[in-house]
């Protein structure tokens, strides 16, 4: 096996992983709104984050760290 021969996850795979992780953490949001809230939170990511990070979970955590106020506002608005 060659070094570097491992397949790097594509952006779509990373986004799916990040969305799944996001959905598991949205317990305060009604079920019917969770998918839309997860999409809104993932939309806060800078496009290059998806290319620079190895895993979607890394991007999700970066969103939570760097866009905390916006993320909380999205969750609060959906929870009303």
């Amino acid at each position: 096996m060659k070094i570097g021969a491992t397949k790097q996850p594509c952006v779509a795979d990373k986004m799916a992983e990040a969305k799944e992780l996001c959905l598991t953490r949205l317990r305060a949001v009604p079920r019917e709104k969770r998918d839309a809230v997860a999409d809104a939170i993932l939309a806060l990511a800078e496009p290059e984050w998806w290319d620079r990070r190895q895993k979607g979970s890394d991007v999700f955590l970066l969103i939570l760290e760097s866009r905390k106020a916006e993320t909380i506002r999205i969750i609060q608005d959906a929870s009303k």
Side-chain angles (χ1 to χ4, degrees):
M1 177 181 216
K2 294 181 182 178
I3 295 176
T6 58
K7 182 182 174 192
Q8 294 292 325
C10 68
V11 173
D13 292 339
K14 293 178 191 178
M15 291 178 102
E17 178 188 2
K19 185 171 183 174
E20 182 178 328
L21 183 63
C22 186
L23 287 170
T24 62
R25 285 162 173 65
L26 292 175
R27 291 184 293 265
V29 177
R31 287 185 193 271
E32 64 274 2
K33 294 182 180 180
R34 287 181 189 168
D35 198 47
V37 170
D39 288 338
I41 291 171
L42 295 180
L44 297 173
E46 297 290 332
E48 62 269 4
W49 292 354
W50 298 108
D51 295 327
R52 293 182 182 169
R53 302 290 185 234
Q54 291 287 333
K55 299 186 291 183
S57 59
D58 294 341
V59 177
F60 176 66
L61 294 174
L62 184 58
I63 293 167
L64 293 181
E65 290 174 9
S66 62
R67 307 272 200 266
K68 183 177 181 178
E70 295 95 333
T71 303
I72 291 171
R73 191 175 321 114
I74 290 168
I75 293 170
Q76 287 174 342
D77 289 346
S79 299
K80 291 180 182 178

